[in-house]
Amino acid sequence: APTDEEAEAPTPPGTPPPPNNQRAVYESRINRARASGAKLDLKNLNLDKELTQGEHQLTHRDDNVLATPRANNERSVLSVRGAPKHRTSRVAHIGPELFGHSKVFFDWHPTGRTLVATSCLDGKATVFLLRRDGAKLSAYEICEGRPTSVEWDCAGESAAVLVEGRGIFLWEIGRLDNPPPPLSLAPQHTTRASFCKWSKICPQLAIGTV
C-alpha cells in the first residue's frame, strides 16, 4: 500500500487538466454545444461590407498609444436571449407643480423609503421630504437663493443642503415625517463653499471650494 508521502495530492482548484485529457475535455464541450442546438444569430451583421484595412500606427495625440484603422469597423450585437431578469415600473411622477421650473436636486434615503429634494421655488431655496410614492411629507423654505446640492448622511439621519452664496443647511430628519426646519451650519465658514459631501461610513461632512 502506498505511504502518505506516495499518495497522490489533491488537485488545487483552477488547475488545468493534464495534456492527455485536454482533447477529451474539448470534445466534450463541443458535443454538449451541438446537443443543445444553440446557434448564433448573424442577421444583424453586414457581412457584405468590406472591412477597413490598414497597418498599426502611432496616434498623433499621444506617441504612447498604438492605434489601427481596423478599430473603426462597426460592431454589431449578435443576439440577446433569455427572459429579462429585472422589470422596472414607475415609482412616482413629481413635476413643476411641486418643484417649480428650476433645477431639482434630490437624494434617496439609504433605505429607499423616502426622498429628499430641493429646488428654487419663487426665488427661495426650498427643501422637500417625500414618500416613495411621491406624496409630500414636509417642506421648508430655507432662504433666498439657488440650491446646488442635497445629500443624506450615511445613516439617513440628516440631509445637507448647499445654497449658492448662503452656505450649508442641515436638516435633522431622523425618523420624523414632519421634522423641524433646517439649521444653518457655521455660515462664516460655509458661505463660500462650492461643494459638500458626506462620508460613506461615518457622520462627517467634507466642505470645500473649487
Side-chain angles (χ1 to χ4, degrees), residues 25-175:
V25 172
Y26 171 76
E27 291 180 350
S28 174
R29 291 177 178 175
I30 293 297
N31 293 333
R32 288 200 303 269
R34 289 173 178 171
S36 66
K39 295 182 179 180
L40 288 177
D41 184 2
L42 304 179
K43 293 184 298 183
N44 294 330
L45 291 180
N46 188 1
L47 300 179
D48 297 331
K49 179 180 177 180
E50 183 178 356
L51 297 178
T52 305
Q53 303 295 322
E55 298 298 330
H56 295 289
Q57 59 185 357
L58 294 175
T59 63
H60 64 280
R61 294 176 291 102
D62 188 347
D63 291 339
N64 294 325
V65 177
L66 189 65
T68 172
R70 293 189 293 260
N72 296 324
N73 289 325
E74 293 182 355
R75 299 180 181 180
S76 299
V77 178
L78 296 180
S79 63
V80 178
R81 297 179 180 273
K85 292 184 172 63
H86 302 281
R87 295 185 182 275
T88 60
S89 60
R90 176 179 292 182
V91 175
H93 177 264
I94 311 168
E97 65 277 1
L98 179 63
F99 296 133
H101 295 277
S102 67
K103 190 172 183 179
V104 179
F105 300 89
F106 67 92
D107 190 32
W108 283 103
H109 190 272
T111 63
R113 297 173 182 172
T114 56
L115 178 75
V116 64
T118 183
S119 67
C120 184
L121 191 60
D122 298 328
K124 296 182 178 180
T126 306
V127 66
F128 306 86
L129 180 64
L130 307 171
R131 218 167 45 204
R132 182 177 176 84
D133 60 3
K136 184 176 69 174
L137 297 174
S138 182
Y140 285 104
E141 291 182 353
I142 300 177
C143 63
E144 292 185 355
R146 184 175 63 90
T148 58
S149 70
V150 62
E151 185 184 22
W152 289 99
D153 67 358
C154 62
E157 296 290 334
S158 305
V161 184
L162 177 61
V163 182
E164 186 178 33
R166 302 302 295 270
I168 298 172
F169 295 81
L170 289 184
W171 198 11
E172 298 287 343
I173 299 175
R175 299 179 180 273

